[in-house]
Amino acid sequence: SEAWTYASPNIQGLFRTEENFGRMVEQGYPMVWSPGAVEFIDLQSLGSIIVQRVEVIDQSGTAHYLGYQMVETEGGWRINGVQVLRAPALGV
């Protein structure tokens, strides 16, 4: 899958095969596996950790917010982990 190519060497080593990784994404992050829409929100620096925040709208129209920990490799920037975030507070 295309997602496998964005995974860091550490993540690829953890899951060992593209099939294992794909199964984890499909089961653990279904909104990412088959999104309706994706919007990159911002890039945050938390000390030495770089996090790309992303809004994913799933097929039913529900918004999900995820933080992708990014790591720079010889092949460019790769995803080294992901966390589901709480939705941002809406202003009144």
Side-chain angles (χ1 to χ4, degrees):
S1 74
E2 189 177 356
W4 177 252
T5 65
Y6 295 118
S8 71
N10 182 49
I11 296 296
Q12 289 181 350
L14 184 66
F15 288 96
R16 297 190 183 170
T17 70
E18 187 174 341
E19 292 74 23
N20 289 341
F21 179 76
R23 201 167 19 259
M24 178 278 298
V25 174
E26 185 175 17
Q27 293 172 1
Y29 302 93
M31 74 292 274
V32 173
W33 186 257
S34 182
V38 176
E39 181 178 341
F40 293 90
I41 300 171
D42 62 11
L43 196 61
Q44 296 182 329
S45 177
L46 308 169
S48 62
I49 298 172
I50 304 295
V51 176
Q52 172 67 60
R53 291 193 312 160
V54 178
E55 177 188 60
V56 177
I57 308 296
D58 66 21
Q59 295 291 332
S60 68
T62 302
H64 303 269
Y65 297 87
L66 299 113
Y68 287 88
Q69 181 186 345
M70 305 302 294
V71 62
E72 192 169 15
T73 70
E74 288 182 5
W77 287 93
R78 300 289 183 257
I79 298 167
N80 201 45
V82 64
Q83 181 178 9
V84 176
L85 306 172
R86 288 190 304 168
L90 299 176
V92 180

